[in-house]
Amino acid sequence: MSVIEKLKTESISLRKIRSPVAPSILFALSEIEKVGKNNGNRATTEDEAIKVIQKLIATIDENLKLDLDDGRKIALNFERNILAGVLPQMADEDDIRALLKEMLGSEKPKNKGIAMKIIRDEYGAKVDMKRAGEIVTEMYGI
């Protein structure tokens, strides 16, 4: 089941029980759909949806740092847990290292971009590219 389908299922469940968080999840769905609509009036891809959800979670994390009342903090945490719950398993450092060893072996790539493209092609939005870049630098010194 895709991230969008999981989020739609959660949204329906929340609306059925009239949860106060339901509008926030509907907003997340509309933000996801807007990406595809604004880029050629097409369906949003899985990677695009993951990126939107990650941005929404980052925004929630920033809001949780503010001085909010307890009720709002609880609602934000609940919303964050729902959004994080629909995300797929992210690639960890071991996955990235194993992929690079499999694809490149001990051969040092000509430039960092080659290794980064391999990682992006394999994992898409399911990887922290900043951390992946650090791993490539550690492994190959580039």
Side-chain angles (χ1 to χ4, degrees):
M1 184 182 293
S2 76
V3 170
I4 299 170
E5 291 169 345
K6 288 179 186 177
L7 201 56
K8 283 181 181 179
T9 302
E10 287 291 332
S11 174
I12 291 168
S13 308
L14 291 170
R15 286 184 283 160
K16 283 182 180 176
I17 63 170
R18 299 184 191 277
S19 170
V21 179
S24 298
I25 302 304
L26 276 175
F27 171 76
L29 281 168
S30 70
E31 288 296 302
I32 290 168
E33 290 175 3
K34 187 169 34 170
V35 172
K37 291 274 187 201
N38 290 344
N39 190 2
N41 199 21
R42 58 173 175 73
T44 304
T45 66
E46 185 80 359
D47 280 351
E48 291 170 336
I50 291 170
K51 287 178 185 175
V52 170
I53 292 171
Q54 289 170 335
K55 286 179 186 175
L56 290 171
I57 289 172
T59 302
I60 291 170
D61 289 342
E62 288 298 315
N63 287 336
L64 285 170
K65 293 177 185 175
L66 301 174
D67 187 26
L68 303 171
D69 64 86
D70 290 341
R72 185 68 185 135
K73 283 185 180 181
I74 291 169
L76 283 172
N77 275 316
F78 185 59
E79 180 183 347
R80 185 190 189 292
N81 290 338
I82 290 170
L83 292 173
V86 300
L87 287 176
Q89 177 75 23
M90 300 298 281
D92 63 11
E93 289 186 27
D94 295 334
D95 295 334
I96 295 168
R97 290 178 193 279
L99 173 69
L100 290 173
K101 285 178 185 173
E102 176 185 328
M103 299 298 282
L104 299 172
S106 60
E107 177 186 330
K108 181 178 177 179
K110 293 179 184 174
N111 60 46
K112 191 174 187 175
I114 294 170
M116 298 301 284
K117 182 175 180 348
I118 290 170
I119 295 168
R120 173 64 74 194
D121 289 348
E122 179 70 22
Y123 296 114
K126 298 175 191 161
V127 65
D128 177 0
M129 289 305 286
K130 181 179 178 185
R131 182 63 190 129
E134 293 168 358
I135 292 169
V136 170
T137 302
E138 289 171 16
M139 288 179 70
Y140 301 107
I142 53 175

